[in-house]
Amino acid sequence: MFATPAFAQAAGTGGAAATLTSFVPLVLIFVIMYFLLIRPQQRKLKQHRAMIDALRRGDQVVTQGGIVGKVTHVGENNEIHVEIADGVKVKVIRSTIAQVISKTEPVA
């Protein structure tokens, strides 16, 4: 019913191996989280940044607020001018552009 001293002493051996095997699941969970969450999010962010850098005058865009308009001016300092109706232009921060609906062809 009680553990003999021989069994009690045997449990303490192999401490380094037991510690190493206890960290393996933790490392495995981190690797899985990296490939399922972090890496796809970085890829999506890179695609969004490329889309924003490629904005030109005449592109039809949708902002994160749901406003659809046409780019009339691309400013140097992180803002663009979007025409949302005839004669109605608003300044929009580049990073708030959610989607480009139609691209204009570059002038040759």
Side-chain angles (χ1 to χ4, degrees):
M1 187 151 140
F2 293 108
T4 62
F7 287 126
Q9 289 176 357
T13 60
T19 305
L20 183 64
T21 58
S22 67
F23 283 119
V24 169
L26 185 64
V27 171
L28 186 63
I29 288 172
F30 179 75
V31 169
I32 290 171
M33 292 288 282
Y34 175 77
F35 282 108
L36 291 180
L37 296 175
I38 298 170
R39 192 166 172 235
Q41 187 67 24
Q42 288 175 342
R43 186 179 302 144
K44 185 177 179 181
L45 184 64
K46 186 184 252 185
Q47 289 173 349
H48 185 259
R49 191 172 295 137
M51 176 191 70
I52 288 174
D53 290 340
L55 278 175
R56 278 184 282 218
R57 185 175 174 204
D59 291 348
Q60 283 222 311
V61 295
V62 177
T63 65
Q64 289 179 356
I67 297 173
V68 179
K70 183 182 273 190
V71 176
T72 58
H73 174 64
V74 179
E76 293 293 325
N77 56 350
N78 205 23
E79 65 181 30
I80 61 172
H81 296 225
V82 178
E83 184 175 15
I84 56 176
D86 290 334
V88 179
K89 296 179 183 177
V90 293
K91 289 182 185 178
V92 178
I93 305 293
R94 280 180 181 250
S95 61
T96 61
I97 300 297
Q99 182 181 4
V100 176
I101 297 174
S102 64
K103 293 285 290 171
T104 58
E105 293 300 320
V107 178

XYZ file of all heavy atoms in Angstrom:
817
model
N 0.810 -1.174 0.000
C 0.000 0.000 0.000
C 0.864 1.253 0.000
O 0.542 2.202 -0.679
C -0.895 -0.022 1.227
C -1.873 1.069 1.235
S -3.279 0.471 2.121
C -3.744 1.798 3.024
N 1.940 1.263 0.752
C 2.866 2.389 0.748
C 3.990 2.114 -0.240
O 4.352 0.987 -0.502
C 3.459 2.598 2.149
C 2.420 3.047 3.145
C 1.960 2.197 4.135
C 1.902 4.328 3.067
C 1.009 2.615 5.035
C 0.944 4.750 3.974
C 0.486 3.892 4.960
N 4.553 3.170 -0.815
C 5.661 3.021 -1.748
C 6.917 2.682 -0.973
O 7.228 3.297 0.038
C 5.868 4.300 -2.533
N 7.622 1.741 -1.476
C 8.878 1.386 -0.825
C 9.926 2.431 -1.169
O 9.817 3.130 -2.183
C 9.346 0.004 -1.294
O 9.579 0.061 -2.686
C 8.325 -1.070 -0.954
N 10.962 2.561 -0.370
C 12.004 3.565 -0.660
C 12.665 3.344 -2.020
O 13.097 4.300 -2.659
C 13.006 3.373 0.475
C 12.233 2.755 1.588
C 11.166 1.942 0.931
N 12.719 2.132 -2.528
C 13.339 1.876 -3.825
C 12.528 2.503 -4.947
O 13.069 3.082 -5.890
C 13.499 0.378 -4.044
N 11.197 2.405 -4.898
C 10.352 3.017 -5.926
C 10.375 4.537 -5.833
O 10.340 5.235 -6.844
C 8.912 2.527 -5.802
C 8.713 1.116 -6.261
C 8.129 0.186 -5.417
C 9.102 0.714 -7.523
C 7.932 -1.117 -5.832
C 8.921 -0.582 -7.943
C 8.331 -1.512 -7.091
N 10.438 5.066 -4.663
C 10.467 6.511 -4.478
C 11.757 7.107 -5.032
O 11.751 8.196 -5.588
C 10.321 6.856 -2.999
N 12.876 6.398 -4.904
C 14.124 6.909 -5.428
C 14.191 6.765 -6.943
O 14.784 7.582 -7.612
C 15.296 6.171 -4.779
C 15.491 6.528 -3.327
C 16.590 5.714 -2.680
O 17.173 4.835 -3.331
N 16.866 5.990 -1.415
N 13.552 5.794 -7.519
C 13.585 5.583 -8.961
C 12.825 6.674 -9.703
O 13.127 6.982 -10.846
C 13.028 4.216 -9.305
N 11.864 7.304 -9.085
C 11.073 8.338 -9.752
C 11.893 9.592 -10.010
O 11.602 10.352 -10.923
C 9.854 8.682 -8.904
N 12.926 9.844 -9.244
C 13.715 11.060 -9.406
C 14.750 10.982 -10.504
O 15.300 11.983 -10.912
N 15.066 9.834 -11.032
C 16.088 9.709 -12.060
C 15.526 10.127 -13.417
O 14.343 10.035 -13.684
C 16.602 8.265 -12.144
O 15.513 7.407 -12.455
C 17.241 7.850 -10.837
N 16.395 10.578 -14.301
C 15.971 10.971 -15.659
C 15.283 12.316 -15.671
O 14.380 12.533 -16.465
N 15.658 13.225 -14.808
C 15.014 14.538 -14.711
C 15.187 15.377 -15.963
O 14.277 16.062 -16.398
N 16.353 15.332 -16.592
C 16.596 16.138 -17.793
C 15.763 15.632 -18.965
O 15.214 16.428 -19.727
C 18.073 16.113 -18.142
N 15.655 14.341 -19.107
C 14.858 13.777 -20.201
C 13.376 14.066 -19.991
O 12.654 14.367 -20.947
C 15.091 12.275 -20.301
N 12.912 13.990 -18.764
C 11.505 14.270 -18.483
C 11.187 15.739 -18.736
O 10.114 16.068 -19.256
C 11.183 13.893 -17.044
N 12.109 16.619 -18.401
C 11.903 18.047 -18.637
C 11.857 18.340 -20.133
O 11.025 19.117 -20.594
C 13.030 18.862 -17.985
O 13.097 18.521 -16.599
C 12.793 20.342 -18.134
N 12.733 17.710 -20.878
C 12.767 17.911 -22.328
C 11.485 17.421 -22.986
O 10.920 18.107 -23.842
C 13.984 17.200 -22.927
C 14.189 17.386 -24.430
C 14.462 18.859 -24.729
C 15.316 16.521 -24.913
N 11.002 16.264 -22.583
C 9.785 15.737 -23.196
C 8.553 16.524 -22.773
O 7.552 16.510 -23.485
C 9.587 14.254 -22.826
O 9.538 14.122 -21.412
C 10.670 13.398 -23.415
N 8.618 17.245 -21.674
C 7.469 18.064 -21.285
C 7.398 19.350 -22.112
O 6.334 19.944 -22.232
C 7.521 18.392 -19.795
O 8.610 19.236 -19.519
N 8.519 19.787 -22.688
C 8.514 20.983 -23.522
C 8.176 20.686 -24.983
O 7.850 21.604 -25.727
C 9.868 21.696 -23.455
C 10.052 22.482 -22.204
C 11.083 22.191 -21.330
C 9.202 23.524 -21.899
C 11.259 22.913 -20.179
C 9.368 24.265 -20.745
C 10.396 23.955 -19.873
N 8.245 19.468 -25.399
C 7.963 19.115 -26.799
C 6.539 19.494 -27.201
O 6.340 20.101 -28.262
C 8.273 17.619 -27.051
C 7.747 17.180 -28.406
C 9.766 17.369 -26.952
N 5.504 19.191 -26.411
C 4.154 19.616 -26.818
C 4.011 21.131 -26.910
O 3.322 21.644 -27.799
C 3.247 19.062 -25.715
C 4.011 17.952 -25.116
C 5.451 18.327 -25.228
N 4.677 21.862 -26.022
C 4.619 23.316 -26.062
C 5.233 23.858 -27.351
O 4.672 24.742 -28.006
C 5.338 23.907 -24.847
C 5.268 25.412 -24.681
C 3.834 25.844 -24.441
C 6.159 25.836 -23.532
N 6.374 23.319 -27.733
C 7.029 23.736 -28.976
C 6.174 23.351 -30.181
O 6.025 24.130 -31.133
C 8.447 23.123 -29.071
C 9.049 23.347 -30.430
C 9.336 23.684 -27.979
N 5.581 22.184 -30.135
C 4.723 21.729 -31.233
C 3.504 22.632 -31.387
O 3.122 22.977 -32.511
C 4.293 20.285 -30.985
C 3.512 19.604 -32.090
C 4.366 19.507 -33.352
C 3.073 18.231 -31.646
N 2.912 23.057 -30.293
C 1.761 23.963 -30.358
C 2.178 25.298 -30.961
O 1.450 25.863 -31.789
C 1.155 24.155 -28.952
C 0.427 22.888 -28.532
C 0.204 25.349 -28.913
C -0.034 22.885 -27.099
N 3.345 25.810 -30.605
C 3.812 27.074 -31.175
C 4.039 26.960 -32.681
O 3.681 27.868 -33.436
C 5.097 27.537 -30.493
C 5.622 28.818 -31.048
C 5.007 30.018 -30.745
C 6.705 28.829 -31.904
C 5.468 31.209 -31.275
C 7.178 30.011 -32.441
C 6.556 31.201 -32.118
N 4.608 25.859 -33.131
C 4.846 25.657 -34.563
C 3.524 25.608 -35.320
O 3.381 26.222 -36.391
C 5.686 24.386 -34.793
C 5.724 24.013 -36.264
C 7.098 24.575 -34.266
N 2.549 24.915 -34.781
C 1.243 24.831 -35.431
C 0.576 26.201 -35.472
O 0.002 26.590 -36.499
C 0.363 23.793 -34.714
C 0.905 22.389 -34.970
C -1.085 23.891 -35.174
C 0.250 21.309 -34.144
N 0.653 26.952 -34.379
C 0.069 28.294 -34.356
C 0.746 29.200 -35.385
O 0.081 30.020 -36.019
C 0.217 28.909 -32.958
C -0.611 28.242 -31.903
S -2.339 28.600 -32.065
C -2.355 30.219 -31.356
N 2.056 29.061 -35.545
C 2.762 29.884 -36.521
C 2.248 29.615 -37.930
O 1.956 30.545 -38.675
C 4.269 29.624 -36.449
C 5.042 30.362 -37.504
C 5.298 31.719 -37.380
C 5.499 29.707 -38.644
C 5.994 32.406 -38.352
C 6.200 30.389 -39.624
C 6.441 31.729 -39.476
O 7.117 32.406 -40.440
N 2.127 28.350 -38.299
C 1.724 28.026 -39.664
C 0.240 28.240 -39.917
O -0.165 28.468 -41.057
C 2.112 26.585 -40.016
C 3.569 26.443 -40.352
C 4.434 25.823 -39.478
C 4.076 26.952 -41.526
C 5.779 25.700 -39.772
C 5.416 26.840 -41.840
C 6.271 26.218 -40.952
N -0.586 28.189 -38.885
C -2.022 28.366 -39.089
C -2.504 29.794 -38.878
O -3.508 30.184 -39.486
C -2.808 27.433 -38.156
C -2.702 25.950 -38.460
C -3.514 25.151 -37.461
C -3.170 25.649 -39.872
N -1.822 30.578 -38.060
C -2.297 31.923 -37.758
C -1.337 33.033 -38.170
O -1.733 33.961 -38.870
C -2.573 32.043 -36.251
C -3.677 31.155 -35.704
C -3.752 31.279 -34.201
C -4.999 31.525 -36.321
N -0.123 32.958 -37.744
C 0.799 34.079 -37.928
C 1.230 34.224 -39.381
O 1.170 35.320 -39.955
C 2.022 33.920 -37.002
C 1.558 33.932 -35.549
C 3.050 35.010 -37.261
C 2.622 33.549 -34.565
N 1.641 33.156 -40.007
C 2.149 33.225 -41.386
C 1.077 33.676 -42.390
O 1.350 34.560 -43.210
C 2.725 31.870 -41.762
C 3.525 31.892 -43.026
C 4.338 30.621 -43.146
N 4.968 30.539 -44.416
C 4.829 29.527 -45.250
N 4.111 28.485 -44.897
N 5.434 29.520 -46.410
N -0.157 33.129 -42.359
C -1.173 33.632 -43.293
C -1.520 35.105 -43.063
O -1.784 35.835 -44.016
C -2.384 32.745 -43.019
C -1.831 31.515 -42.434
C -0.627 31.938 -41.664
N -1.508 35.551 -41.805
C -1.801 36.946 -41.523
C -0.709 37.852 -42.087
O -1.001 38.914 -42.627
C -1.936 37.153 -40.013
C -2.403 38.531 -39.644
C -3.826 38.803 -40.075
O -4.619 37.880 -40.248
N -4.144 40.054 -40.281
N 0.540 37.447 -41.996
C 1.630 38.235 -42.562
C 1.527 38.295 -44.084
O 1.786 39.336 -44.692
C 2.980 37.652 -42.157
C 3.324 37.879 -40.714
C 4.613 37.193 -40.305
O 5.092 36.290 -40.983
N 5.167 37.617 -39.189
N 1.146 37.188 -44.693
C 0.988 37.156 -46.154
C -0.139 38.087 -46.597
O -0.016 38.819 -47.576
C 0.702 35.725 -46.601
C 0.670 35.592 -48.110
C 0.423 34.173 -48.549
N 1.447 33.292 -48.020
C 1.206 32.048 -47.617
N -0.005 31.554 -47.689
N 2.170 31.303 -47.153
N -1.247 38.070 -45.859
C -2.378 38.933 -46.184
C -1.997 40.404 -46.027
O -2.378 41.241 -46.852
C -3.554 38.589 -45.279
C -4.816 39.323 -45.599
C -5.948 38.861 -44.702
C -7.210 39.616 -45.010
N -8.318 39.209 -44.144
N -1.250 40.734 -44.985
C -0.801 42.099 -44.764
C 0.125 42.553 -45.891
O 0.038 43.685 -46.357
C -0.089 42.206 -43.420
C 0.363 43.589 -42.993
C -0.833 44.510 -42.796
C 1.168 43.488 -41.719
N 0.984 41.672 -46.349
C 1.904 42.007 -47.444
C 1.127 42.262 -48.745
O 1.426 43.202 -49.486
C 2.891 40.862 -47.650
C 3.968 41.155 -48.656
C 4.839 39.940 -48.873
C 6.178 40.132 -48.250
N 7.085 39.009 -48.545
N 0.102 41.462 -49.030
C -0.720 41.664 -50.221
C -1.477 42.988 -50.138
O -1.606 43.703 -51.140
C -1.703 40.510 -50.398
C -1.068 39.217 -50.806
C -2.057 38.060 -50.793
O -3.169 38.177 -50.281
N -1.644 36.930 -51.356
N -2.007 43.318 -48.959
C -2.738 44.580 -48.788
C -1.809 45.768 -48.995
O -2.182 46.749 -49.634
C -3.373 44.619 -47.397
C -4.234 45.822 -47.180
N -3.799 46.921 -46.480
C -5.496 46.116 -47.587
C -4.752 47.822 -46.459
N -5.792 47.367 -47.121
N -0.595 45.679 -48.471
C 0.376 46.765 -48.636
C 0.742 46.944 -50.110
O 0.875 48.071 -50.593
C 1.626 46.470 -47.815
C 2.548 47.661 -47.722
C 3.687 47.424 -46.762
N 3.169 47.271 -45.398
C 3.583 46.353 -44.545
N 4.518 45.511 -44.879
N 3.066 46.289 -43.335
N 0.892 45.831 -50.841
C 1.196 45.922 -52.278
C 0.033 46.540 -53.045
O 0.242 47.326 -53.975
C 1.521 44.541 -52.828
N -1.207 46.201 -52.662
C -2.387 46.761 -53.313
C -2.449 48.271 -53.077
O -2.723 49.039 -53.992
C -3.657 46.099 -52.771
C -4.937 46.688 -53.328
S -6.399 46.126 -52.454
C -6.206 46.947 -50.896
N -2.152 48.703 -51.874
C -2.198 50.132 -51.555
C -1.090 50.890 -52.277
O -1.303 51.993 -52.768
C -2.111 50.330 -50.029
C -3.427 49.901 -49.393
C -1.799 51.768 -49.672
C -3.409 49.914 -47.903
N 0.076 50.290 -52.367
C 1.185 50.952 -53.063
C 0.927 51.081 -54.557
O 1.484 51.957 -55.208
C 2.494 50.200 -52.829
C 2.984 50.333 -51.397
O 2.556 51.274 -50.700
O 3.790 49.478 -50.972
N 0.081 50.212 -55.111
C -0.202 50.232 -56.540
C -1.410 51.102 -56.902
O -1.828 51.117 -58.053
C -0.432 48.807 -57.036
N -1.969 51.820 -55.948
C -3.120 52.678 -56.255
C -2.734 53.785 -57.221
O -1.664 54.372 -57.118
C -3.662 53.307 -54.970
C -4.587 52.458 -54.136
C -4.939 53.187 -52.849
C -5.830 52.098 -54.882
N -3.642 54.060 -58.168
C -3.432 55.107 -59.160
C -4.690 55.922 -59.322
O -5.767 55.515 -58.888
C -3.099 54.487 -60.514
C -1.679 54.095 -60.689
C -1.550 53.611 -62.073
N -2.116 52.263 -62.027
C -1.642 51.241 -62.687
N -0.657 51.408 -63.499
N -2.175 50.065 -62.584
N -4.539 57.032 -59.973
C -5.681 57.880 -60.292
C -6.609 57.118 -61.243
O -6.161 56.514 -62.213
C -5.167 59.153 -60.953
C -6.210 60.143 -61.208
C -5.595 61.404 -61.738
N -6.679 62.305 -62.101
C -6.579 63.258 -62.964
N -5.429 63.480 -63.563
N -7.602 64.015 -63.228
N -7.894 57.124 -60.936
C -8.879 56.455 -61.776
C -9.314 55.099 -61.248
O -10.279 54.531 -61.730
N -8.627 54.559 -60.252
C -9.023 53.274 -59.670
C -10.307 53.445 -58.869
O -10.499 54.436 -58.185
C -7.940 52.740 -58.734
C -6.685 52.312 -59.456
O -6.717 52.207 -60.699
O -5.669 52.079 -58.774
N -11.182 52.463 -58.959
C -12.376 52.452 -58.114
C -12.060 51.643 -56.878
O -11.578 50.512 -56.986
C -13.559 51.842 -58.853
C -14.175 52.776 -59.845
C -15.683 52.698 -59.775
O -16.236 51.622 -59.786
N -16.323 53.842 -59.695
N -12.319 52.230 -55.694
C -11.942 51.610 -54.439
C -13.125 51.565 -53.484
O -14.103 52.291 -53.637
C -10.773 52.372 -53.772
C -9.519 52.297 -54.611
C -11.135 53.808 -53.485
N -13.002 50.686 -52.490
C -13.950 50.611 -51.383
C -13.144 50.835 -50.109
O -12.124 50.184 -49.889
C -14.641 49.227 -51.328
C -15.566 49.144 -50.131
C -15.387 48.939 -52.605
N -13.615 51.761 -49.272
C -12.938 52.012 -48.014
C -13.445 51.032 -46.970
O -14.433 50.333 -47.178
C -13.181 53.447 -47.519
O -14.561 53.606 -47.229
C -12.741 54.468 -48.546
N -12.786 50.992 -45.820
C -13.222 50.107 -44.751
C -14.569 50.524 -44.188
O -15.278 49.716 -43.609
C -12.174 50.068 -43.636
C -10.936 49.343 -44.045
C -9.896 49.325 -42.938
O -10.061 49.918 -41.891
N -8.807 48.629 -43.197
N -14.950 51.766 -44.380
C -16.258 52.244 -43.944
C -17.362 51.907 -44.928
O -18.528 52.166 -44.679
N -17.013 51.331 -46.083
C -18.006 50.935 -47.074
C -18.270 51.970 -48.139
O -19.204 51.826 -48.929
N -17.488 53.029 -48.191
C -17.674 54.072 -49.191
C -16.993 53.646 -50.484
O -15.829 53.270 -50.491
C -17.088 55.411 -48.701
C -17.835 55.870 -47.451
C -17.152 56.465 -49.793
C -17.234 57.086 -46.790
N -17.756 53.733 -51.584
C -17.228 53.380 -52.903
C -16.958 54.673 -53.644
O -17.799 55.573 -53.669
C -18.239 52.521 -53.686
C -17.702 52.184 -55.063
C -18.576 51.259 -52.922
N -15.782 54.773 -54.240
C -15.448 55.984 -54.970
C -14.303 55.760 -55.930
O -13.752 54.668 -56.048
N -13.970 56.844 -56.629
C -12.896 56.800 -57.624
C -11.749 57.676 -57.134
O -11.966 58.789 -56.669
C -13.404 57.324 -58.961
C -12.376 57.254 -60.077
C -12.927 57.835 -61.360
C -13.646 56.723 -62.090
N -14.030 57.113 -63.455
N -10.531 57.155 -57.229
C -9.347 57.897 -56.806
C -9.094 59.025 -57.796
O -9.004 58.807 -59.003
C -8.112 56.963 -56.733
C -6.866 57.750 -56.383
C -8.342 55.847 -55.741
N -9.019 60.261 -57.275
C -8.757 61.410 -58.141
C -7.350 61.950 -57.978
O -6.815 62.559 -58.902
C -9.755 62.550 -57.848
O -9.653 62.926 -56.478
C -11.172 62.118 -58.175
N -6.761 61.744 -56.792
C -5.408 62.245 -56.554
C -4.727 61.359 -55.516
O -5.317 61.037 -54.493
C -5.452 63.695 -56.051
C -4.128 64.249 -55.657
N -3.100 64.434 -56.545
C -3.642 64.656 -54.460
C -2.062 64.934 -55.908
N -2.370 65.069 -54.630
N -3.502 60.966 -55.817
C -2.715 60.181 -54.864
C -1.674 61.118 -54.272
O -0.766 61.563 -54.962
C -2.040 58.975 -55.555
C -1.215 58.190 -54.561
C -3.082 58.090 -56.212
N -1.837 61.421 -52.996
C -0.940 62.350 -52.323
C 0.345 61.673 -51.886
O 0.432 60.460 -51.769
N 1.338 62.504 -51.626
C 2.629 61.992 -51.179
C 2.582 61.517 -49.736
O 3.227 60.580 -49.351
C 3.693 63.084 -51.324
C 3.997 63.463 -52.749
C 4.661 62.329 -53.512
O 5.449 61.589 -52.910
O 4.387 62.193 -54.707
N 1.810 62.183 -48.901
C 1.837 61.915 -47.467
C 0.668 61.019 -47.033
O -0.266 61.472 -46.403
C 1.850 63.214 -46.674
C 0.680 64.106 -47.032
O -0.030 63.855 -47.992
N 0.466 65.146 -46.268
N 0.677 59.797 -47.417
C -0.210 58.749 -46.896
C -1.696 59.064 -47.023
O -2.499 58.550 -46.259
C 0.153 58.449 -45.435
C -0.247 57.060 -45.024
O -0.404 56.178 -45.852
N -0.419 56.865 -43.745
N -2.104 59.917 -47.933
C -3.526 60.166 -48.122
C -3.845 60.233 -49.602
O -2.993 60.561 -50.431
C -3.973 61.440 -47.412
C -3.374 62.704 -47.952
C -3.841 63.936 -47.187
O -4.122 63.829 -45.987
O -3.910 64.992 -47.824
N -5.071 59.895 -49.918
C -5.544 59.966 -51.300
C -6.868 60.720 -51.308
O -7.554 60.805 -50.290
C -5.709 58.567 -51.938
C -6.718 57.739 -51.174
C -4.402 57.845 -52.030
C -7.071 56.440 -51.849
N -7.214 61.265 -52.462
C -8.485 61.957 -52.626
C -9.406 61.024 -53.409
O -9.040 60.539 -54.476
C -8.292 63.264 -53.382
C -7.446 64.250 -52.650
N -7.774 65.564 -52.532
C -6.280 64.120 -51.966
C -6.863 66.206 -51.837
N -5.937 65.329 -51.489
N -10.595 60.804 -52.873
C -11.558 59.894 -53.491
C -12.820 60.669 -53.797
O -13.360 61.367 -52.929
C -11.879 58.705 -52.553
C -12.912 57.802 -53.176
C -10.623 57.922 -52.234
N -13.300 60.567 -55.037
C -14.554 61.209 -55.433
C -15.673 60.192 -55.227
O -15.706 59.139 -55.868
C -14.494 61.650 -56.891
C -15.731 62.396 -57.331
C -15.612 62.939 -58.745
O -14.700 62.508 -59.478
O -16.446 63.765 -59.109
N -16.604 60.516 -54.303
C -17.676 59.574 -53.982
C -18.976 59.915 -54.703
O -19.869 59.079 -54.786
C -17.906 59.499 -52.464
C -18.210 60.862 -51.868
C -16.700 58.892 -51.787
C -18.544 60.829 -50.395
N -19.095 61.132 -55.227
C -20.236 61.562 -56.041
C -19.722 62.691 -56.935
O -18.584 63.135 -56.796
C -21.389 62.034 -55.161
N -20.573 63.171 -57.839
C -20.146 64.250 -58.729
C -19.820 65.491 -57.915
O -20.686 66.060 -57.242
C -21.250 64.583 -59.742
C -21.424 63.458 -60.758
O -20.444 62.730 -60.990
O -22.540 63.311 -61.300
N -18.558 65.878 -57.935
C -18.113 67.076 -57.244
C -17.875 66.898 -55.748
O -17.539 67.856 -55.075
N -18.067 65.698 -55.219
C -17.851 65.455 -53.795
C -16.572 64.630 -53.644
O -16.533 63.459 -54.018
C -19.041 64.713 -53.152
C -18.773 64.469 -51.682
C -20.322 65.480 -53.356
N -15.542 65.268 -53.094
C -14.256 64.588 -52.914
C -13.924 64.556 -51.429
O -14.150 65.533 -50.711
C -13.146 65.303 -53.678
C -13.345 65.285 -55.172
C -12.245 66.014 -55.886
C -12.536 66.038 -57.375
N -11.531 66.801 -58.118
N -13.374 63.443 -50.991
C -12.956 63.300 -49.593
C -11.511 62.837 -49.554
O -11.038 62.157 -50.466
C -13.856 62.298 -48.824
C -15.258 62.829 -48.673
C -13.873 60.948 -49.482
N -10.822 63.223 -48.477
C -9.468 62.738 -48.257
C -9.567 61.459 -47.433
O -10.283 61.410 -46.446
C -8.628 63.756 -47.492
C -8.271 64.967 -48.271
C -7.409 65.877 -47.423
C -7.123 67.167 -48.152
N -6.314 68.080 -47.307
N -8.823 60.448 -47.847
C -8.861 59.150 -47.179
C -7.429 58.710 -46.918
O -6.561 58.875 -47.774
C -9.591 58.100 -48.064
C -9.590 56.752 -47.410
C -10.994 58.551 -48.366
N -7.190 58.160 -45.743
C -5.887 57.592 -45.429
C -5.708 56.311 -46.247
O -6.638 55.519 -46.376
C -5.780 57.274 -43.921
C -6.069 58.504 -43.086
C -4.428 56.677 -43.572
C -5.046 59.597 -43.224
N -4.538 56.115 -46.797
C -4.290 54.952 -47.668
C -4.617 53.615 -47.010
O -5.154 52.726 -47.646
C -2.823 54.905 -48.087
C -2.462 55.818 -49.191
C -0.975 55.651 -49.478
N -0.547 56.530 -50.523
C -0.198 56.112 -51.739
N -0.204 54.850 -52.023
N 0.172 56.980 -52.643
N -4.279 53.478 -45.755
C -4.463 52.180 -45.097
C -5.931 51.819 -44.884
O -6.235 50.678 -44.571
C -3.725 52.161 -43.766
O -4.245 53.152 -42.912
N -6.851 52.777 -45.057
C -8.272 52.467 -44.885
C -8.919 51.952 -46.164
O -10.113 51.664 -46.160
C -9.050 53.698 -44.387
O -8.945 54.737 -45.350
C -8.534 54.149 -43.043
N -8.158 51.839 -47.229
C -8.689 51.249 -48.464
C -8.762 49.739 -48.267
O -7.766 49.090 -47.979
C -7.803 51.589 -49.681
C -7.721 53.099 -49.878
C -8.315 50.900 -50.943
C -9.037 53.761 -50.187
N -9.959 49.184 -48.409
C -10.162 47.753 -48.174
C -10.024 46.945 -49.457
O -9.542 45.810 -49.417
C -11.531 47.508 -47.556
N -10.456 47.517 -50.577
C -10.490 46.731 -51.811
C -10.419 47.659 -53.013
O -10.953 48.762 -52.983
C -11.791 45.930 -51.843
C -11.968 45.033 -53.011
C -13.300 44.298 -52.951
O -14.114 44.526 -52.061
N -13.517 43.426 -53.894
N -9.787 47.191 -54.058
C -9.774 47.901 -55.333
C -10.731 47.159 -56.255
O -10.528 45.981 -56.561
C -8.356 47.958 -55.946
C -8.389 48.623 -57.306
C -7.409 48.690 -55.020
N -11.806 47.846 -56.675
C -12.831 47.195 -57.499
C -12.361 47.073 -58.936
O -12.414 45.994 -59.524
C -14.158 47.986 -57.439
C -14.691 47.981 -56.009
C -15.177 47.402 -58.392
C -15.908 48.837 -55.811
N -11.923 48.186 -59.518
C -11.433 48.125 -60.887
C -10.168 48.957 -61.007
O -10.082 50.058 -60.487
C -12.509 48.649 -61.868
O -12.769 50.010 -61.610
N -9.202 48.375 -61.678
C -7.912 49.034 -61.892
C -7.933 49.740 -63.238
O -8.511 49.263 -64.189
C -6.771 48.026 -61.897
C -6.478 47.327 -60.599
C -5.769 48.185 -59.609
C -4.343 48.480 -59.997
N -3.753 49.477 -59.115
N -7.238 50.862 -63.288
C -7.044 51.520 -64.569
C -5.734 51.036 -65.158
O -4.829 50.655 -64.446
C -6.990 53.054 -64.397
O -5.938 53.372 -63.500
C -8.299 53.587 -63.866
N -5.666 51.047 -66.431
C -4.435 50.620 -67.111
C -3.435 51.769 -67.068
O -3.793 52.937 -67.187
C -4.734 50.258 -68.575
C -5.600 49.037 -68.717
C -4.979 47.805 -68.102
O -3.753 47.605 -68.237
O -5.714 47.031 -67.463
N -2.148 51.459 -66.888
C -1.149 52.536 -66.857
C -1.032 53.199 -68.230
O -1.212 52.573 -69.266
C 0.148 51.814 -66.488
C -0.092 50.379 -66.751
C -1.580 50.154 -66.669
N -0.748 54.494 -68.192
C -0.597 55.259 -69.431
C 0.733 54.914 -70.052
O 1.774 54.936 -69.395
C -0.694 56.767 -69.135
C -0.494 57.570 -70.411
C -2.022 57.092 -68.497
N 0.707 54.584 -71.349
C 1.933 54.183 -72.026
C 2.715 55.360 -72.537
O 2.317 56.428 -72.723
C 1.612 53.264 -73.194
